[in-house]
Amino acid sequence: MKFYTSIALLVWACSTSIEAFTSPILHERTQLTAITPLKATTDTLPEIKLFNSLSRNKETLKPLEPGKFSIYTCGPTVYDFAHVGNFRAFLTYDLLKRVLMYFGYDVNHVCNLTDVDDKIINRANEQGIDNVLDLTSKYEDLFMKDLQALNIIPAVKYPRATEHIPEMMEMILKLEEKGLAYESEDGSWWFATDKKEGYGEQLVNLNWDEMETTERGESDLKRTPQDFCLWKAFKPGIDRDDAAWESDRIKKGRPGWHLECSAMSKKYFGDTIDIHGGGVDLKFPHHENEIAQSEGASGEPFCNCWIHNGFVNIDNEKMSKSLGNFLTLRTACAAPADVRAYRYLVMSSLYRSSLNFTPQAMDAAKSALKRIDKVRNQISEALGEEKNVDAGDSSLATEQVPKALGNFEAALKDDMSMPRASAALFGLVKEAEREFKRVSKDDSVPLDKPGLSAVWNALDQMDKVFGIFYQVPMTEEEAAEEASAEAMTVPEEVMELVVQRTEAKDSKDWDLADSLRSRITELGFNVKDVKGGEPEVTPIGK
C-alpha cells in the first residue's frame, strides 16, 4: 500500500501543487540543432573533465579528432512508453551535448532504437498485432514527442536495430574468424567469454564463481554459463516471421540485444568512439558485452570515455518497468509546468548520483522555475525592447555577473557539476531581486539597467545548458481540445445575424427571421431559441 500511496501523491503533486505559471517571455519551442559556441577555434577550446566509468576517475576529455566528439548512447526499446527514469538518461545525454557545444565543440551524436527484442515480440503477440513494425513505430513516435516536450536536442541519427541486420551478421562472422563466437546446434550464435582476455573486468569486476547463466533457459546450448547470445535461432510458435532474418551462413533468427549497439556504433563511428553513455544499470551486462564484441572484432579500443547516470528512485527503489513502479512522462507530469520542472530537477542534479522523484522534489523544482520566471519577467518589463545596455560603471554588470558566469563555466568543466551551476544561476536571480527591492523602497532611485541587462544576458547564456526557457508543446489530446474550443467560438458575423434574427422575431417579421436562420446555417451554425433567455448558438454537428 505504501508504494501505491506514494504514486498517487506524486501524480497529485505534479498536477495540483503550486499554482500553474505561464511566463510571457518563454521562448517558443524550436527543435534545436546547435548552440552558439562560447569559444570558436580548436586551439582555444577549454579542457573538460568527466568521470570515466572505465578508469573510475575524472579525466580530461581528449577527442579523437580535435574539436569534435563522437557520442553513442543507448536508446529505448520501443514496445511501451518510456518512463521518467528512462528520461534521466536522455536528459543526461542532452546535458553532455549542451556542455560540449557551449564551449565550442562539434558533437556527432547517435542514439539507437531497439525495435527487435523478446519484449517487443511478446507485446505484439499479446495485442494481436499483425506487423511488429506497427507496434514499434507507434512507440518510437511517442518517444520522440516526449523528447520534444523535454526540450532535448535531437541526436544526429536514431538508427533502428532492424535496419542494421547485415552489419550484425558481419560482426558475428568476424568474431567467429577470431575464435570468439560459435554456433550451437539450434542455429544460435554465442560469444565465447572465456576466449576474450579481460572480459568482465572493464566496467565491472565480476565474481566468476558466483555468476549464473546470462541467458534464461538456454545454458545447455552454451559452452560456458557466462557466454552471451549474439544471435537467437528462430523458434516456431514463439518467434515471428516479421521479426526474423537469415543469410547463407547464419540461420533464421534475430540478433541479441548487445550485438546491435556494437554493429551500429561501428557503422557510424568506426572502431573507436569518444564517449558512450547509458544508465548505470547498463554497465553489466550490456556495456561490458559491447566492449567484448567490439574490441574482439576490431582489435582496437572501443570507447575512450564511458558516462553512466544514476537511477531515478521512488520510495528509494529504482524506477523500472520490471518492478511496476514506473510513471510515464505525461502521467507524472500532466501540466506543462510539471514537464519543465522535471527537466530542471534532472538538469540541476549531479548526473552520477541517484535522484529521488518525490512530490517534494517536484514542488521545489516548480518553485525554483517560478522564481526565475518572475525575475525574467521583471527584467523584461524594466528594459523593454533594449536588452543590451552598456555596462558603464555598474558593479553588477562588471563584477557580479562575470564572477557568476565564471563559476558557472568552472562547474560545467568539472564533471558537469550542475548543483554548482545552479547556485551560480540563482546567485544572479538573487542579485536581480535585490535590485528590484532596493528601488521599490525609494521611487526616486533609478534602476541599475546596465546590471539588469547583464543579468538577463547571463541567464540566457546559462540556459544554453539548462534549456529551461521554452514553451512545452501540447500533446495531441491538448491540441485537439484547443481546436475543439476554437471551433466552439462563434464568429462575430454569425452573432450579428443572431441579433438581427432576434430583432426580426420581436417585430414579428417571420420571413426575415427565417432568412437569417438559413444564412446562419449556411455559415455552419445552429441557433436554438431559449424561452426567457438568449438563443444558443452551436457549430453544426456539435
PDB file of all heavy atoms in Angstrom, residues 166 168-179 181-184 186-189 223 231 245-253:
ATOM      1  N   PRO A 166      22.407  -6.761 -41.572  1.00  0.00           N
ATOM      2  CA  PRO A 166      23.623  -7.205 -42.279  1.00  0.00           C
ATOM      3  C   PRO A 166      24.905  -6.877 -41.522  1.00  0.00           C
ATOM      4  O   PRO A 166      25.842  -7.691 -41.493  1.00  0.00           O
ATOM      5  CB  PRO A 166      23.551  -6.443 -43.609  1.00  0.00           C
ATOM      6  CG  PRO A 166      22.090  -6.191 -43.817  1.00  0.00           C
ATOM      7  CD  PRO A 166      21.547  -5.938 -42.441  1.00  0.00           C
ATOM      8  N   MET A 168      25.232  -6.641 -38.318  1.00  0.00           N
ATOM      9  CA  MET A 168      25.326  -7.541 -37.164  1.00  0.00           C
ATOM     10  C   MET A 168      25.807  -8.923 -37.597  1.00  0.00           C
ATOM     11  O   MET A 168      26.660  -9.534 -36.926  1.00  0.00           O
ATOM     12  CB  MET A 168      23.963  -7.635 -36.471  1.00  0.00           C
ATOM     13  CG  MET A 168      23.464  -6.311 -35.910  1.00  0.00           C
ATOM     14  SD  MET A 168      21.870  -6.504 -35.070  1.00  0.00           S
ATOM     15  CE  MET A 168      21.191  -4.865 -35.260  1.00  0.00           C
ATOM     16  N   MET A 169      25.284  -9.413 -38.697  1.00  0.00           N
ATOM     17  CA  MET A 169      25.732 -10.721 -39.200  1.00  0.00           C
ATOM     18  C   MET A 169      27.213 -10.692 -39.549  1.00  0.00           C
ATOM     19  O   MET A 169      27.950 -11.643 -39.264  1.00  0.00           O
ATOM     20  CB  MET A 169      24.905 -11.108 -40.423  1.00  0.00           C
ATOM     21  CG  MET A 169      23.455 -11.445 -40.129  1.00  0.00           C
ATOM     22  SD  MET A 169      22.565 -11.879 -41.645  1.00  0.00           S
ATOM     23  CE  MET A 169      21.026 -12.537 -40.978  1.00  0.00           C
ATOM     24  N   GLU A 170      27.634  -9.596 -40.128  1.00  0.00           N
ATOM     25  CA  GLU A 170      29.043  -9.455 -40.490  1.00  0.00           C
ATOM     26  C   GLU A 170      29.926  -9.497 -39.244  1.00  0.00           C
ATOM     27  O   GLU A 170      30.995 -10.119 -39.243  1.00  0.00           O
ATOM     28  CB  GLU A 170      29.254  -8.143 -41.237  1.00  0.00           C
ATOM     29  CG  GLU A 170      30.688  -7.892 -41.681  1.00  0.00           C
ATOM     30  CD  GLU A 170      30.877  -6.561 -42.375  1.00  0.00           C
ATOM     31  OE1 GLU A 170      29.866  -5.885 -42.665  1.00  0.00           O
ATOM     32  OE2 GLU A 170      32.042  -6.182 -42.621  1.00  0.00           O
ATOM     33  N   MET A 171      29.487  -8.855 -38.171  1.00  0.00           N
ATOM     34  CA  MET A 171      30.279  -8.847 -36.944  1.00  0.00           C
ATOM     35  C   MET A 171      30.344 -10.241 -36.318  1.00  0.00           C
ATOM     36  O   MET A 171      31.385 -10.650 -35.793  1.00  0.00           O
ATOM     37  CB  MET A 171      29.718  -7.823 -35.944  1.00  0.00           C
ATOM     38  CG  MET A 171      30.525  -7.726 -34.663  1.00  0.00           C
ATOM     39  SD  MET A 171      30.129  -6.275 -33.640  1.00  0.00           S
ATOM     40  CE  MET A 171      30.998  -4.983 -34.539  1.00  0.00           C
ATOM     41  N   ILE A 172      29.242 -10.975 -36.373  1.00  0.00           N
ATOM     42  CA  ILE A 172      29.243 -12.344 -35.843  1.00  0.00           C
ATOM     43  C   ILE A 172      30.296 -13.180 -36.551  1.00  0.00           C
ATOM     44  O   ILE A 172      31.087 -13.896 -35.909  1.00  0.00           O
ATOM     45  CB  ILE A 172      27.850 -12.980 -36.011  1.00  0.00           C
ATOM     46  CG1 ILE A 172      26.846 -12.332 -35.057  1.00  0.00           C
ATOM     47  CG2 ILE A 172      27.912 -14.488 -35.741  1.00  0.00           C
ATOM     48  CD1 ILE A 172      25.409 -12.775 -35.282  1.00  0.00           C
ATOM     49  N   LEU A 173      30.328 -13.089 -37.877  1.00  0.00           N
ATOM     50  CA  LEU A 173      31.280 -13.898 -38.647  1.00  0.00           C
ATOM     51  C   LEU A 173      32.725 -13.437 -38.410  1.00  0.00           C
ATOM     52  O   LEU A 173      33.645 -14.257 -38.415  1.00  0.00           O
ATOM     53  CB  LEU A 173      30.924 -13.837 -40.132  1.00  0.00           C
ATOM     54  CG  LEU A 173      29.534 -14.405 -40.478  1.00  0.00           C
ATOM     55  CD1 LEU A 173      29.258 -14.282 -41.969  1.00  0.00           C
ATOM     56  CD2 LEU A 173      29.414 -15.859 -40.021  1.00  0.00           C
ATOM     57  N   LYS A 174      32.910 -12.150 -38.193  1.00  0.00           N
ATOM     58  CA  LYS A 174      34.260 -11.642 -37.867  1.00  0.00           C
ATOM     59  C   LYS A 174      34.708 -12.200 -36.517  1.00  0.00           C
ATOM     60  O   LYS A 174      35.873 -12.592 -36.342  1.00  0.00           O
ATOM     61  CB  LYS A 174      34.233 -10.117 -37.829  1.00  0.00           C
ATOM     62  CG  LYS A 174      35.529  -9.474 -37.375  1.00  0.00           C
ATOM     63  CD  LYS A 174      36.686  -9.735 -38.323  1.00  0.00           C
ATOM     64  CE  LYS A 174      36.541  -8.940 -39.606  1.00  0.00           C
ATOM     65  NZ  LYS A 174      37.738  -9.080 -40.481  1.00  0.00           N
ATOM     66  N   LEU A 175      33.798 -12.251 -35.559  1.00  0.00           N
ATOM     67  CA  LEU A 175      34.129 -12.812 -34.252  1.00  0.00           C
ATOM     68  C   LEU A 175      34.416 -14.308 -34.353  1.00  0.00           C
ATOM     69  O   LEU A 175      35.306 -14.827 -33.669  1.00  0.00           O
ATOM     70  CB  LEU A 175      32.983 -12.558 -33.263  1.00  0.00           C
ATOM     71  CG  LEU A 175      32.788 -11.104 -32.812  1.00  0.00           C
ATOM     72  CD1 LEU A 175      31.476 -10.937 -32.076  1.00  0.00           C
ATOM     73  CD2 LEU A 175      33.953 -10.631 -31.941  1.00  0.00           C
ATOM     74  N   GLU A 176      33.696 -14.994 -35.232  1.00  0.00           N
ATOM     75  CA  GLU A 176      33.981 -16.417 -35.422  1.00  0.00           C
ATOM     76  C   GLU A 176      35.383 -16.622 -35.975  1.00  0.00           C
ATOM     77  O   GLU A 176      36.118 -17.521 -35.540  1.00  0.00           O
ATOM     78  CB  GLU A 176      32.950 -17.034 -36.372  1.00  0.00           C
ATOM     79  CG  GLU A 176      33.144 -18.542 -36.543  1.00  0.00           C
ATOM     80  CD  GLU A 176      32.389 -19.110 -37.732  1.00  0.00           C
ATOM     81  OE1 GLU A 176      32.182 -18.367 -38.710  1.00  0.00           O
ATOM     82  OE2 GLU A 176      32.036 -20.295 -37.685  1.00  0.00           O
ATOM     83  N   GLU A 177      35.767 -15.780 -36.927  1.00  0.00           N
ATOM     84  CA  GLU A 177      37.118 -15.865 -37.504  1.00  0.00           C
ATOM     85  C   GLU A 177      38.182 -15.766 -36.426  1.00  0.00           C
ATOM     86  O   GLU A 177      39.236 -16.394 -36.523  1.00  0.00           O
ATOM     87  CB  GLU A 177      37.341 -14.729 -38.518  1.00  0.00           C
ATOM     88  CG  GLU A 177      36.661 -14.905 -39.851  1.00  0.00           C
ATOM     89  CD  GLU A 177      36.922 -13.715 -40.752  1.00  0.00           C
ATOM     90  OE1 GLU A 177      37.898 -12.965 -40.475  1.00  0.00           O
ATOM     91  OE2 GLU A 177      36.174 -13.519 -41.717  1.00  0.00           O
ATOM     92  N   LYS A 178      37.921 -14.965 -35.420  1.00  0.00           N
ATOM     93  CA  LYS A 178      38.899 -14.725 -34.369  1.00  0.00           C
ATOM     94  C   LYS A 178      38.741 -15.672 -33.189  1.00  0.00           C
ATOM     95  O   LYS A 178      39.356 -15.487 -32.138  1.00  0.00           O
ATOM     96  CB  LYS A 178      38.803 -13.278 -33.905  1.00  0.00           C
ATOM     97  CG  LYS A 178      39.123 -12.282 -35.031  1.00  0.00           C
ATOM     98  CD  LYS A 178      39.408 -10.903 -34.493  1.00  0.00           C
ATOM     99  CE  LYS A 178      39.897  -9.991 -35.609  1.00  0.00           C
ATOM    100  NZ  LYS A 178      40.330  -8.682 -35.110  1.00  0.00           N
ATOM    101  N   GLY A 179      37.886 -16.677 -33.350  1.00  0.00           N
ATOM    102  CA  GLY A 179      37.712 -17.671 -32.302  1.00  0.00           C
ATOM    103  C   GLY A 179      36.908 -17.192 -31.112  1.00  0.00           C
ATOM    104  O   GLY A 179      36.988 -17.783 -30.030  1.00  0.00           O
ATOM    105  N   ALA A 181      33.414 -16.462 -31.339  1.00  0.00           N
ATOM    106  CA  ALA A 181      31.993 -16.747 -31.491  1.00  0.00           C
ATOM    107  C   ALA A 181      31.824 -18.163 -32.017  1.00  0.00           C
ATOM    108  O   ALA A 181      32.662 -18.669 -32.774  1.00  0.00           O
ATOM    109  CB  ALA A 181      31.347 -15.744 -32.450  1.00  0.00           C
ATOM    110  N   TYR A 182      30.752 -18.816 -31.617  1.00  0.00           N
ATOM    111  CA  TYR A 182      30.470 -20.175 -32.080  1.00  0.00           C
ATOM    112  C   TYR A 182      28.972 -20.366 -32.230  1.00  0.00           C
ATOM    113  O   TYR A 182      28.163 -19.648 -31.619  1.00  0.00           O
ATOM    114  CB  TYR A 182      31.044 -21.209 -31.113  1.00  0.00           C
ATOM    115  CG  TYR A 182      30.486 -21.131 -29.714  1.00  0.00           C
ATOM    116  CD1 TYR A 182      29.364 -21.877 -29.334  1.00  0.00           C
ATOM    117  CD2 TYR A 182      31.081 -20.307 -28.742  1.00  0.00           C
ATOM    118  CE1 TYR A 182      28.853 -21.809 -28.043  1.00  0.00           C
ATOM    119  CE2 TYR A 182      30.569 -20.230 -27.455  1.00  0.00           C
ATOM    120  CZ  TYR A 182      29.451 -20.978 -27.115  1.00  0.00           C
ATOM    121  OH  TYR A 182      28.941 -20.908 -25.846  1.00  0.00           O
ATOM    122  N   GLU A 183      28.600 -21.323 -33.051  1.00  0.00           N
ATOM    123  CA  GLU A 183      27.202 -21.633 -33.315  1.00  0.00           C
ATOM    124  C   GLU A 183      26.807 -22.889 -32.555  1.00  0.00           C
ATOM    125  O   GLU A 183      27.519 -23.891 -32.572  1.00  0.00           O
ATOM    126  CB  GLU A 183      26.985 -21.847 -34.814  1.00  0.00           C
ATOM    127  CG  GLU A 183      25.540 -22.063 -35.216  1.00  0.00           C
ATOM    128  CD  GLU A 183      25.383 -22.280 -36.723  1.00  0.00           C
ATOM    129  OE1 GLU A 183      26.420 -22.513 -37.400  1.00  0.00           O
ATOM    130  OE2 GLU A 183      24.237 -22.229 -37.208  1.00  0.00           O
ATOM    131  N   SER A 184      25.660 -22.825 -31.879  1.00  0.00           N
ATOM    132  CA  SER A 184      25.156 -24.016 -31.193  1.00  0.00           C
ATOM    133  C   SER A 184      24.291 -24.816 -32.162  1.00  0.00           C
ATOM    134  O   SER A 184      23.944 -24.352 -33.249  1.00  0.00           O
ATOM    135  CB  SER A 184      24.371 -23.631 -29.940  1.00  0.00           C
ATOM    136  OG  SER A 184      23.333 -22.724 -30.244  1.00  0.00           O
ATOM    137  N   ASP A 186      21.270 -25.506 -32.427  1.00  0.00           N
ATOM    138  CA  ASP A 186      19.967 -24.996 -32.853  1.00  0.00           C
ATOM    139  C   ASP A 186      20.066 -23.835 -33.839  1.00  0.00           C
ATOM    140  O   ASP A 186      19.050 -23.329 -34.320  1.00  0.00           O
ATOM    141  CB  ASP A 186      19.141 -24.567 -31.643  1.00  0.00           C
ATOM    142  CG  ASP A 186      19.686 -23.305 -30.980  1.00  0.00           C
ATOM    143  OD1 ASP A 186      20.904 -23.057 -31.094  1.00  0.00           O
ATOM    144  OD2 ASP A 186      18.890 -22.568 -30.350  1.00  0.00           O
ATOM    145  N   GLY A 187      21.299 -23.367 -34.117  1.00  0.00           N
ATOM    146  CA  GLY A 187      21.486 -22.252 -35.033  1.00  0.00           C
ATOM    147  C   GLY A 187      21.714 -20.920 -34.345  1.00  0.00           C
ATOM    148  O   GLY A 187      21.871 -19.892 -35.004  1.00  0.00           O
ATOM    149  N   SER A 188      21.740 -20.911 -33.018  1.00  0.00           N
ATOM    150  CA  SER A 188      22.060 -19.685 -32.281  1.00  0.00           C
ATOM    151  C   SER A 188      23.574 -19.468 -32.297  1.00  0.00           C
ATOM    152  O   SER A 188      24.357 -20.407 -32.476  1.00  0.00           O
ATOM    153  CB  SER A 188      21.577 -19.783 -30.828  1.00  0.00           C
ATOM    154  OG  SER A 188      20.171 -19.882 -30.761  1.00  0.00           O
ATOM    155  N   TRP A 189      23.976 -18.218 -32.078  1.00  0.00           N
ATOM    156  CA  TRP A 189      25.395 -17.873 -32.003  1.00  0.00           C
ATOM    157  C   TRP A 189      25.694 -17.263 -30.644  1.00  0.00           C
ATOM    158  O   TRP A 189      24.879 -16.514 -30.094  1.00  0.00           O
ATOM    159  CB  TRP A 189      25.772 -16.878 -33.103  1.00  0.00           C
ATOM    160  CG  TRP A 189      25.845 -17.501 -34.474  1.00  0.00           C
ATOM    161  CD1 TRP A 189      24.820 -17.748 -35.326  1.00  0.00           C
ATOM    162  CD2 TRP A 189      27.030 -17.960 -35.124  1.00  0.00           C
ATOM    163  NE1 TRP A 189      25.282 -18.331 -36.481  1.00  0.00           N
ATOM    164  CE2 TRP A 189      26.632 -18.474 -36.389  1.00  0.00           C
ATOM    165  CE3 TRP A 189      28.387 -17.999 -34.770  1.00  0.00           C
ATOM    166  CZ2 TRP A 189      27.555 -19.010 -37.300  1.00  0.00           C
ATOM    167  CZ3 TRP A 189      29.303 -18.511 -35.686  1.00  0.00           C
ATOM    168  CH2 TRP A 189      28.889 -19.023 -36.932  1.00  0.00           C
ATOM    169  N   ARG A 223      28.769 -23.211 -24.244  1.00  0.00           N
ATOM    170  CA  ARG A 223      29.952 -23.927 -23.777  1.00  0.00           C
ATOM    171  C   ARG A 223      30.252 -23.598 -22.324  1.00  0.00           C
ATOM    172  O   ARG A 223      30.712 -24.456 -21.562  1.00  0.00           O
ATOM    173  CB  ARG A 223      31.153 -23.566 -24.653  1.00  0.00           C
ATOM    174  CG  ARG A 223      31.019 -24.068 -26.093  1.00  0.00           C
ATOM    175  CD  ARG A 223      32.194 -23.622 -26.944  1.00  0.00           C
ATOM    176  NE  ARG A 223      32.026 -24.038 -28.334  1.00  0.00           N
ATOM    177  CZ  ARG A 223      32.813 -23.636 -29.325  1.00  0.00           C
ATOM    178  NH1 ARG A 223      33.818 -22.786 -29.078  1.00  0.00           N
ATOM    179  NH2 ARG A 223      32.596 -24.060 -30.557  1.00  0.00           N
ATOM    180  N   TRP A 231      23.103 -14.221 -31.516  1.00  0.00           N
ATOM    181  CA  TRP A 231      22.027 -14.453 -32.485  1.00  0.00           C
ATOM    182  C   TRP A 231      21.110 -15.540 -31.938  1.00  0.00           C
ATOM    183  O   TRP A 231      21.569 -16.619 -31.571  1.00  0.00           O
ATOM    184  CB  TRP A 231      22.615 -14.888 -33.820  1.00  0.00           C
ATOM    185  CG  TRP A 231      21.611 -14.971 -34.931  1.00  0.00           C
ATOM    186  CD1 TRP A 231      20.986 -16.095 -35.394  1.00  0.00           C
ATOM    187  CD2 TRP A 231      21.125 -13.896 -35.727  1.00  0.00           C
ATOM    188  NE1 TRP A 231      20.126 -15.778 -36.420  1.00  0.00           N
ATOM    189  CE2 TRP A 231      20.190 -14.428 -36.658  1.00  0.00           C
ATOM    190  CE3 TRP A 231      21.377 -12.517 -35.743  1.00  0.00           C
ATOM    191  CZ2 TRP A 231      19.526 -13.636 -37.590  1.00  0.00           C
ATOM    192  CZ3 TRP A 231      20.713 -11.729 -36.673  1.00  0.00           C
ATOM    193  CH2 TRP A 231      19.802 -12.283 -37.582  1.00  0.00           C
ATOM    194  N   TRP A 245      15.392 -12.985 -39.554  1.00  0.00           N
ATOM    195  CA  TRP A 245      16.233 -12.802 -40.722  1.00  0.00           C
ATOM    196  C   TRP A 245      17.158 -14.011 -40.852  1.00  0.00           C
ATOM    197  O   TRP A 245      17.357 -14.763 -39.902  1.00  0.00           O
ATOM    198  CB  TRP A 245      17.074 -11.530 -40.587  1.00  0.00           C
ATOM    199  CG  TRP A 245      16.267 -10.281 -40.466  1.00  0.00           C
ATOM    200  CD1 TRP A 245      15.949  -9.405 -41.448  1.00  0.00           C
ATOM    201  CD2 TRP A 245      15.668  -9.747 -39.264  1.00  0.00           C
ATOM    202  NE1 TRP A 245      15.190  -8.371 -40.961  1.00  0.00           N
ATOM    203  CE2 TRP A 245      14.995  -8.559 -39.623  1.00  0.00           C
ATOM    204  CE3 TRP A 245      15.628 -10.175 -37.941  1.00  0.00           C
ATOM    205  CZ2 TRP A 245      14.302  -7.783 -38.702  1.00  0.00           C
ATOM    206  CZ3 TRP A 245      14.923  -9.412 -37.017  1.00  0.00           C
ATOM    207  CH2 TRP A 245      14.274  -8.230 -37.390  1.00  0.00           C
ATOM    208  N   GLU A 246      17.737 -14.170 -42.048  1.00  0.00           N
ATOM    209  CA  GLU A 246      18.706 -15.245 -42.248  1.00  0.00           C
ATOM    210  C   GLU A 246      19.615 -14.876 -43.406  1.00  0.00           C
ATOM    211  O   GLU A 246      19.324 -13.970 -44.200  1.00  0.00           O
ATOM    212  CB  GLU A 246      17.996 -16.573 -42.536  1.00  0.00           C
ATOM    213  CG  GLU A 246      17.113 -16.560 -43.771  1.00  0.00           C
ATOM    214  CD  GLU A 246      16.328 -17.851 -43.912  1.00  0.00           C
ATOM    215  OE1 GLU A 246      16.792 -18.905 -43.416  1.00  0.00           O
ATOM    216  OE2 GLU A 246      15.258 -17.808 -44.529  1.00  0.00           O
ATOM    217  N   SER A 247      20.748 -15.573 -43.482  1.00  0.00           N
ATOM    218  CA  SER A 247      21.684 -15.390 -44.594  1.00  0.00           C
ATOM    219  C   SER A 247      22.229 -16.766 -44.977  1.00  0.00           C
ATOM    220  O   SER A 247      21.839 -17.787 -44.394  1.00  0.00           O
ATOM    221  CB  SER A 247      22.829 -14.463 -44.170  1.00  0.00           C
ATOM    222  OG  SER A 247      23.660 -15.098 -43.213  1.00  0.00           O
ATOM    223  N   ASP A 248      23.128 -16.784 -45.949  1.00  0.00           N
ATOM    224  CA  ASP A 248      23.709 -18.065 -46.374  1.00  0.00           C
ATOM    225  C   ASP A 248      24.437 -18.745 -45.225  1.00  0.00           C
ATOM    226  O   ASP A 248      24.461 -19.974 -45.135  1.00  0.00           O
ATOM    227  CB  ASP A 248      24.681 -17.845 -47.541  1.00  0.00           C
ATOM    228  CG  ASP A 248      23.964 -17.392 -48.796  1.00  0.00           C
ATOM    229  OD1 ASP A 248      22.741 -17.615 -48.872  1.00  0.00           O
ATOM    230  OD2 ASP A 248      24.613 -16.810 -49.675  1.00  0.00           O
ATOM    231  N   ARG A 249      25.006 -17.953 -44.345  1.00  0.00           N
ATOM    232  CA  ARG A 249      25.859 -18.502 -43.279  1.00  0.00           C
ATOM    233  C   ARG A 249      25.147 -18.555 -41.932  1.00  0.00           C
ATOM    234  O   ARG A 249      25.482 -19.370 -41.082  1.00  0.00           O
ATOM    235  CB  ARG A 249      27.120 -17.627 -43.165  1.00  0.00           C
ATOM    236  CG  ARG A 249      28.140 -18.122 -42.188  1.00  0.00           C
ATOM    237  CD  ARG A 249      28.819 -19.417 -42.651  1.00  0.00           C
ATOM    238  NE  ARG A 249      29.786 -19.852 -41.667  1.00  0.00           N
ATOM    239  CZ  ARG A 249      29.490 -20.512 -40.554  1.00  0.00           C
ATOM    240  NH1 ARG A 249      28.236 -20.808 -40.275  1.00  0.00           N
ATOM    241  NH2 ARG A 249      30.459 -20.879 -39.727  1.00  0.00           N
ATOM    242  N   ILE A 250      24.187 -17.666 -41.736  1.00  0.00           N
ATOM    243  CA  ILE A 250      23.515 -17.571 -40.440  1.00  0.00           C
ATOM    244  C   ILE A 250      22.050 -17.977 -40.603  1.00  0.00           C
ATOM    245  O   ILE A 250      21.323 -17.450 -41.453  1.00  0.00           O
ATOM    246  CB  ILE A 250      23.620 -16.146 -39.867  1.00  0.00           C
ATOM    247  CG1 ILE A 250      25.096 -15.830 -39.582  1.00  0.00           C
ATOM    248  CG2 ILE A 250      22.794 -15.992 -38.605  1.00  0.00           C
ATOM    249  CD1 ILE A 250      25.346 -14.438 -39.059  1.00  0.00           C
ATOM    250  N   LYS A 251      21.627 -18.930 -39.773  1.00  0.00           N
ATOM    251  CA  LYS A 251      20.276 -19.473 -39.879  1.00  0.00           C
ATOM    252  C   LYS A 251      19.233 -18.464 -39.386  1.00  0.00           C
ATOM    253  O   LYS A 251      19.546 -17.498 -38.710  1.00  0.00           O
ATOM    254  CB  LYS A 251      20.174 -20.767 -39.071  1.00  0.00           C
ATOM    255  CG  LYS A 251      21.032 -21.895 -39.630  1.00  0.00           C
ATOM    256  CD  LYS A 251      20.928 -23.147 -38.767  1.00  0.00           C
ATOM    257  CE  LYS A 251      21.826 -24.250 -39.306  1.00  0.00           C
ATOM    258  NZ  LYS A 251      21.782 -25.471 -38.451  1.00  0.00           N
ATOM    259  N   LYS A 252      17.994 -18.737 -39.739  1.00  0.00           N
ATOM    260  CA  LYS A 252      16.875 -17.855 -39.424  1.00  0.00           C
ATOM    261  C   LYS A 252      16.807 -17.562 -37.921  1.00  0.00           C
ATOM    262  O   LYS A 252      16.876 -18.462 -37.094  1.00  0.00           O
ATOM    263  CB  LYS A 252      15.565 -18.504 -39.879  1.00  0.00           C
ATOM    264  CG  LYS A 252      14.338 -17.614 -39.744  1.00  0.00           C
ATOM    265  CD  LYS A 252      13.116 -18.316 -40.320  1.00  0.00           C
ATOM    266  CE  LYS A 252      11.869 -17.452 -40.213  1.00  0.00           C
ATOM    267  NZ  LYS A 252      10.682 -18.136 -40.793  1.00  0.00           N
ATOM    268  N   GLY A 253      16.670 -16.279 -37.619  1.00  0.00           N
ATOM    269  CA  GLY A 253      16.604 -15.868 -36.213  1.00  0.00           C
ATOM    270  C   GLY A 253      16.645 -14.364 -36.095  1.00  0.00           C
ATOM    271  O   GLY A 253      16.302 -13.644 -37.041  1.00  0.00           O
TER     272      GLY A 253
END
